[in-house]
Structure formats: structure tokens, C-alpha cells
């Protein structure tokens, strides 16, 4: 160091004939060497231990090396130029847009507007908001504009709310986060952070779509509206039906102890995979009125429903429901109650009980169709969900809420039958291609029908446990209501169709 200092001083006092570039270079080297504070202190120390000197010099060299590495990395860093959402979506046809984001262009824009109204424009950061922020002269926007300028020079700029929502919908539709990171110029690790944040803060907001069974059964006007639709579709046979109930098994990865699950085997269902048992009630238009996503896959549908707050409310208000004539329809997995009508067991073909079962199934099929539409629309459900248990529940809830949003939009803006047929063709083709390429995937679709139901020695469905007086009374009242409906069908001469109107080889089969 002393030699470097002496040489530097000598060079500065050398004759003017010496090249100036050499002098400036030595001066710059001396300035860089003395820029570190600890080296300046070393120069003024009279007594210096050799080990301390070596340690200080090695630290200085390491610091300079790290700084040089960071400069090289910054020079090689690829500057992100985020695509404008308006430019990106304008290059897609309506069919491509619907296939990518599982909804029409107009429905997507309405979803963006609703979310922006709920969370605010500063939180949503739409593309229009970001453009206005650059040219804004409002003092309140000064800090946000400065932050935006920093992001533009470092990360490529803010990610607009439309892009965040598009990334979320693409992952829900089954897209890969790696492809989305390249498409929208984001880091691959940040794609899933956007996904979970949008679901938790935007989609699961009750102001966007609210699903509450207790509020539904307390709204008498809505009960009348739903019952009227069931009555019209069944030609007046099921008057008072306020929803169809069923269970749905959603495939998940095996839970771990980190999820707070002591016995992961309780999530292994009779279908041969780990899952969550979702209890749902829907109306005739396939709108989800109530859902519970908390039961394990090995839990029976009837048991899962008995553990809900809605079942407790129905038990406490069974007299009011009986006076109004309201009830739900469910399959044989549920216990017959005054508020849940199930089909007859072991009904012979051509009997009044069999005729009742046919029309009962025709009214109940809407819940199976709802599960099928949700499962077919959101490709993330085709494979087992691989997040933790909390995120898995949020993903399932988000799929059901978005389904309700699309159903509401479909009823208000477009022809329902034509829109359903278009979506069914688009999503079914993609689902078939997925099954053709994936070999270790279970059947795609809904689960939780009437198979594998335990029965006693007399052939009746075994519910397990000893029923109390309230359960026995509710079952007796349910049998009376079901028998009255069966007699009503018989008096109206309503029978199961005697012909199967299924085409096979361009012929109708009798």
C-alpha cells in the first residue's frame, strides 16, 4: 500500500511530458484503493498486526469481487418489457379467448370491473389506471408515480390487474405457471404468488360472489323463486323443492403433518384417491346455493352434511319448512328426512315407486350437471391439487364462486342453451386431449353417486348409529311426504317413459 501511495505521488509530480492517460489511470487506481474507509484507517495505523492486515485486505478484495459480480449480473440481466393487456387480448379471437380464460371477453371485462369496484382502483391497478398515473399531476399520485417509474426501470413495470386475473384464470383452467411466466414477462416463482393473492383477496370476496346457505334459507322470496323453477321444470310434480343436494369428491395430494392432519389416511376415499368431500346444494339453473369444503374424503356424504351448520338449522326449523312445504332432493346417500327427500330403495320397474324415482332423479340431476360443469371448466381439478390444505380449499371455493358468476352473467346477457352448448364443446375437447396424453390420471368428472352404499340384512340403507327421537320423527315425516308425492304421480298418471330415446346407429331403441 505504501509503494502504491508513493508511486501515485511520484506520478502526479512527474514532468508534463509524461502521457496524461497514464497519470489519470494511476490517480483513479489510487482513488479506488483509498475509497474504502477501513483501508484509510490502515494507512494511518502505526502498529499493525500482520494477521489483521491480511484479514482486512482479503475482506476488501472479496467486497470488490462481489461488487464486480453484481455489476456483471446487472449487465447481463434481461430487461422485461411487459405486454399490454389490450394488445394481447386483441390478438385473440372470441373462441380462443373463451378457451383460454373459460369465459367470454365481455364476461371477463365485467369481472374486472366488479373486482375494481370492490378493492379500489389503486389496489387493482388496471391498465387504464396505470396509463393515467404516468401523466397525472395530482400531488396524491406523486408517490405512486415515483414507485411506478422505479418499477419500470428495474422489473419492467407494475403488473396490471387484468394480467393478474388472466394468470389466475389460466392456472385454474389447467395452464402451466412456467408458460404463463414467459407469456406475461413475470418470474416463474411470482406467478403462483399472484395466483394465491388474487384468489384470496379478490375472488373469495363476498362482495363479488356470496354463497351462504343460512342466508338463503332465511330469504323466503328467494326460496319461492327457486321452488317455482323446480316446479316448472318438473311440470308441477315437485312443488316446494328448494334445491338439490349431493357430495363431490375433489382429488388432492396426500395431506401432511404441516397441514395439521394427524391421520392423512382419513382423506383417502373409496374411489381410490385422496380427496376433499364437498357438500353442495344447487338450484335448477346450476347455481351453487350452499357449499361446505371441510370434510375428509373417507367421510360419508350423509355424515358430512350432518356436521354442517345448515343441517342444524334445518333440524331446528323443520316445522316451519313443513308448513311451507319446502324440501331438498338428494340421492340414496342421504337419510330420508322431512326436509330431504330421497328415492325409494329396491323399487321394481313399472311400480309407482319406480315412477317417483324417475322424476325425482330428473329433478336431482342438476346438481350432478353442476359438478360436471365446474370440473370440466376448470382444468386444475383434472389432476390432484398439490397445494397445502388451506390453499386447496381456497381453489375449490374460487372455482365454485366463479362458476356462479358465469351462471349469473349467462342468464342476464346471453342465450343460456347456446352458450352452454358452446362451452361444453370447447371444454370437452380439451378434456379428452388431456386424458389422451395423461396415463396416470383417474376419471375426470364428479364422484359421490349411489354406488357402494352400505345396506343391512333386509336390503335397506344402513345409516349407522342409533337415531334419537328427533331423527326418527323427521324420518317418519319424510316418508309421509314422499308417499304423498308418489300417490300424486300415480293419480296424475305420470309414469317412467317406456322408450329410450338414445340414438345408436341412427336408430331409436324401444
Amino acid at each position: 500500500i505504501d509503494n502504491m501511495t508513493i508511486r501515485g505521488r511520484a506520478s502526479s509530480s512527474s514532468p508534463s511530458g509524461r502521457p496524461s492517460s497514464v497519470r489519470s489511470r494511476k490517480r483513479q487506481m489510487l482513488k479506488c484503493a483509498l475509497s474504502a474507509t477501513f483501508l484509510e484507517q490502515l494507512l494511518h495505523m502505526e502498529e499493525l498486526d500482520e494477521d489483521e492486515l491480511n484479514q482486512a485486505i482479503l475482506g476488501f478484495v472479496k467486497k470488490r469481487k462481489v461488487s464486480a459480480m453484481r455489476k456483471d449480473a446487472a449487465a447481463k440481466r434481461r430487461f422485461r418489457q411487459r405486454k399490454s393487456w389490450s394488445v394481447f387480448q386483441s390478438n385473440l379471437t372470441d373462441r380462443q379467448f373463451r378457451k383460454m380464460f373459460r369465459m367470454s371477453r365481455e364476461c371477463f371485462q365485467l369481472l374486472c370491473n366488479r373486482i375494481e369496484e370492490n378493492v379500489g382502483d389503486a389496489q387493482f391497478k388496471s391498465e387504464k389506471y396505470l396509463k393515467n398515473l404516468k401523466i397525472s399531476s395530482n400531488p396524491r399520485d406523486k408517490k405512486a408515480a415515483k414507485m411506478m417509474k422505479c418499477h419500470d426501470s428495474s422489473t419492467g413495470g407494475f403488473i396490471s390487474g387484468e394480467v393478474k386475473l388472466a394468470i389466475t384464470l389460466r392456472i385454474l383452467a389447467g395452464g402451466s405457471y412456467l408458460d404463463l411466466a414467459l407469456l406475461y414477462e413475470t418470474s416463474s416463482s411470482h406467478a403462483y404468488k399472484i395466483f394465491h393473492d388474487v384468489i384470496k383477496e379478490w375472488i373469495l370476496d363476498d362482495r363479488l360472489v356470496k354463497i351462504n346457505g343460512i342466508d338463503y334459507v332465511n330469504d323466503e322470496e328467494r326460496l319461492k323463486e327457486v321452488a317455482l323453477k323446480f316446479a316448472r321444470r318438473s311440470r308441477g310434480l315437485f312443488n316446494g323443492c328448494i334445491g338439490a343436494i349431493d357430495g363431490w369428491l375433489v382429488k388432492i395430494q396426500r395431506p401432511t403433518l404441516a397441514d395439521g392432519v394427524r391421520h392423512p389416511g382419513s382423506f383417502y376415499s373409496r374411489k381410490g384417491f385422496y380427496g376433499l368431500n364437498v357438500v353442495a346444494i344447487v338450484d335448477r339453473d346450476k347455481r351453487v346455493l350452499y357449499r361446505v369444503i371441510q370434510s375428509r374424503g373417507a367421510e360419508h356424504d350423509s355424515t358430512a352434511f350432518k356436521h354442517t351448520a345448515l343441517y342444524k338449522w334445518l333440524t331446528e326449523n323443520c316445522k316451519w319448512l313443513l308448513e311451507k312445504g319446502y324440501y331438498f332432493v338428494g340421492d340414496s346417500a342421504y337419510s330420508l328426512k322431512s326436509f330431504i327427500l330421497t328415492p325409494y330403495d329396491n323399487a321394481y320397474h313399472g311400480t309407482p315407486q319406480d315412477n317417483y324415482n324417475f322424476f325425482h332423479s330428473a329433478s336431482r340431476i342438476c346438481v350432478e350437471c353442476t359438478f360436471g360443469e365446474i370440473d370440466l371448466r376448470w382444468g386444475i381439478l383434472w389432476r390432484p391439487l398439490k397445494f397445502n390444505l388451506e390453499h386447496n380449499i381456497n381453489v375449490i371455493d374460487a372455482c365454485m364462486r366463479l362458476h356462479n358468476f358465469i351462471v349469473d352473467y349467462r342468464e342476464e346477457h346471453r342465450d343460456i342453451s347456446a352458450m352452454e352448448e358452446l362451452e361444453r364443446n370447447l371444454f370437452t375437447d380439451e378434456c379428452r386431449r388431456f386424458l389422451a396424453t395423461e396415463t396416470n390420471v383417474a376419471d375426470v368428472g364428479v364422484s359421490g353417486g349411489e354406488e357402494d352404499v352400505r345396506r343391512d340384512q333386509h336390503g335397506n340403507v344402513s345409516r349407522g348409529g342409533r337415531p334419537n327421537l328427533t331423527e326418527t320423527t323427521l324420518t317418519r315425516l319424510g316418508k309421509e311426504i314422499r308417499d304423498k308425492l308418489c300417490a300424486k304421480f300415480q293419480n296424475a298418471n305420470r309414469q317412467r317413459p317406456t322408450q329410450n330415446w338414445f340414438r345408436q346407429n341412427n336408430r331409436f331403441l324401444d
Side-chain angles (χ1 to χ4, degrees):
I1 298 175
D2 293 338
N3 293 336
M4 186 184 297
T5 307
I6 294 172
R7 290 175 183 176
R9 290 176 179 175
S11 63
S12 61
S13 59
S14 59
S16 59
R18 199 164 185 176
S20 59
S21 61
V22 178
R23 291 197 302 270
S24 62
R25 184 179 178 185
K26 286 186 176 182
R27 193 180 299 109
Q28 186 177 3
M29 290 175 61
L30 178 62
K31 186 177 180 181
C32 291
L34 297 178
S35 60
T37 306
F38 63 90
L39 282 180
E40 291 182 0
Q41 295 176 357
L42 287 176
L43 292 173
H44 293 85
M45 293 180 64
E46 297 179 357
E47 296 180 359
L48 184 64
D49 188 10
E50 185 176 356
D51 295 337
E52 293 180 358
L53 176 62
N54 294 334
Q55 186 177 0
I57 294 177
L58 289 175
F60 172 74
V61 173
K62 185 178 179 180
K63 183 178 179 182
R64 296 288 296 175
K65 183 178 180 181
V66 172
S67 179
M69 291 174 59
R70 290 180 177 175
K71 289 182 179 179
D72 293 341
K76 296 178 182 179
R77 186 182 301 154
R78 184 176 64 89
F79 180 74
R80 290 192 179 96
Q81 185 66 36
R82 303 198 190 279
K83 293 183 179 179
S84 171
W85 168 251
S86 58
V87 175
F88 174 79
Q89 63 95 15
S90 63
N91 294 329
L92 299 176
T93 63
D94 292 341
R95 183 181 180 88
Q96 289 174 337
F97 191 96
R98 187 187 296 272
K99 196 171 184 179
M100 288 186 64
F101 304 109
R102 296 310 200 246
M103 59 181 65
S104 64
R105 205 185 304 266
E106 296 79 10
C107 184
F108 180 88
Q109 187 60 45
L110 179 62
L111 181 60
C112 292
N113 295 338
R114 294 280 179 84
I115 294 175
E116 188 175 10
E117 292 175 2
N118 296 335
V119 302
D121 52 359
Q123 182 69 24
F124 184 73
K125 292 184 177 65
S126 64
E127 190 176 78
K128 182 179 179 181
Y129 170 81
L130 295 178
K131 289 181 179 179
N132 294 334
L133 190 62
K134 290 182 178 180
I135 59 176
S136 176
S137 58
N138 192 343
R140 297 180 181 179
D141 300 334
K142 186 177 181 180
K143 184 177 180 180
K146 186 177 181 181
M147 183 72 68
M148 182 180 177
K149 186 177 180 180
C150 295
H151 277 270
D152 289 340
S153 60
S154 59
T155 63
F158 282 130
I159 303 176
S160 65
E162 292 90 347
V163 172
K164 289 183 178 180
L165 187 59
I167 291 175
T168 303
L169 293 179
R170 275 303 301 156
I171 295 179
L172 288 176
S176 172
Y177 72 99
L178 297 175
D179 298 335
L180 294 174
L182 293 176
L183 184 62
Y184 295 108
E185 293 291 343
T186 63
S187 62
S188 57
S189 60
H190 194 57
Y192 267 124
K193 184 181 184 304
I194 293 174
F195 173 71
H196 292 300
D197 289 345
V198 168
I199 285 180
K200 186 176 181 180
E201 299 176 6
W202 295 357
I203 299 178
L204 298 186
D205 191 350
D206 287 340
R207 293 173 295 180
L208 181 65
V209 177
K210 186 176 182 180
I211 304 177
N212 192 309
I214 304 298
D215 292 344
Y216 165 66
V217 293
N218 283 298
D219 189 352
E220 193 168 354
E221 293 297 327
R222 195 175 179 190
L223 292 177
K224 291 180 180 179
E225 180 182 353
V226 173
L228 181 60
K229 290 184 178 180
F230 272 100
R232 287 175 178 174
R233 298 288 180 90
S234 63
R235 297 182 181 179
L237 295 178
F238 280 94
N239 292 320
C241 180
I242 55 175
I245 182 173
D246 201 2
W248 176 32
L249 279 175
V250 181
K251 296 180 288 294
I252 63 172
Q253 205 172 32
R254 183 180 184 270
T256 61
L257 294 176
D259 297 323
V261 179
R262 294 185 178 181
H263 305 287
S266 60
F267 285 83
Y268 194 79
S269 67
R270 59 187 176 87
K271 298 292 183 178
F273 53 81
Y274 290 94
L276 284 170
N277 193 343
V278 181
V279 179
I281 298 176
V282 306
D283 61 7
R284 193 63 190 179
D285 297 323
K286 297 185 288 187
R287 183 183 292 101
V288 180
L289 305 173
Y290 174 72
R291 85 275 178 260
V292 174
I293 317 171
Q294 63 182 11
S295 301
R296 298 161 294 179
E299 199 166 359
H300 195 269
D301 291 350
S302 181
T303 306
F305 182 54
K306 285 182 179 180
H307 292 163
T308 62
L310 180 60
Y311 184 86
K312 182 179 179 181
W313 187 95
L314 294 173
T315 304
E316 295 174 351
N317 297 271
C318 59
K319 292 184 179 180
W320 178 80
L321 293 171
L322 192 60
E323 292 175 358
K324 296 292 184 178
Y326 292 146
Y327 53 84
F328 298 103
V329 290
D331 57 19
S332 298
Y334 295 94
S335 302
L336 177 63
K337 305 294 180 185
S338 61
F339 48 82
I340 300 180
L341 298 186
T342 59
Y344 285 96
D345 295 321
N346 303 323
Y348 292 99
H349 182 72
T351 60
Q353 291 78 11
D354 180 65
N355 296 331
Y356 166 86
N357 286 355
F358 174 80
F359 294 106
H360 179 278
S361 177
S363 296
R364 181 179 55 83
I365 198 64
C366 58
V367 66
E368 302 283 0
C369 295
T370 302
F371 293 154
E373 184 173 333
I374 296 174
D375 194 272
L376 196 61
R377 182 186 301 276
W378 307 116
I380 195 173
L381 303 175
W382 300 352
R383 300 184 183 92
L385 297 177
K386 298 182 180 180
F387 310 112
N388 59 43
L389 204 56
E390 180 183 358
H391 285 164
N392 287 340
I393 293 175
N394 290 342
V395 168
I396 298 171
D397 196 11
C399 292
M400 302 183 84
R401 288 174 185 254
L402 288 173
H403 167 79
N404 275 12
F405 183 86
I406 295 173
V407 170
D408 293 339
Y409 177 83
R410 194 165 57 195
E411 287 188 350
E412 294 176 2
H413 296 82
R414 295 288 182 87
D415 181 24
I416 298 177
S417 58
M419 207 166 179
E420 286 182 345
E421 184 178 359
L422 176 60
E423 292 176 347
R424 190 182 301 114
N425 294 335
L426 287 175
F427 306 152
T428 302
D429 293 342
E430 188 170 349
C431 182
R432 287 173 180 172
R433 286 194 295 270
F434 168 79
L435 291 177
T437 56
E438 298 288 335
T439 57
N440 297 323
V441 180
D443 293 339
V444 175
V446 300
S447 303
E450 303 177 10
E451 300 178 357
D452 301 333
V453 179
R454 294 183 178 180
R455 301 181 182 273
D456 57 17
Q457 59 182 355
H458 302 292
N460 299 322
V461 177
S462 177
R463 306 302 177 187
R466 180 175 296 178
N468 54 29
L469 181 59
T470 304
E471 296 287 339
T472 304
T473 303
L474 292 175
T475 302
R476 178 179 56 81
L477 293 174
K479 289 181 179 180
E480 294 178 359
I481 296 174
R482 186 173 65 178
D483 292 340
K484 289 180 180 179
L485 285 175
C486 184
K488 178 182 178 181
F489 296 159
Q490 189 175 5
N491 295 333
N493 197 21
R494 302 300 299 273
Q495 299 178 358
R496 177 192 291 269
T498 57
Q499 291 180 331
N500 296 325
W501 298 101
F502 292 103
R503 274 189 189 277
Q504 184 176 358
N505 298 329
N506 297 325
R507 292 182 301 172
F508 287 109
L509 301 180
D510 293 332

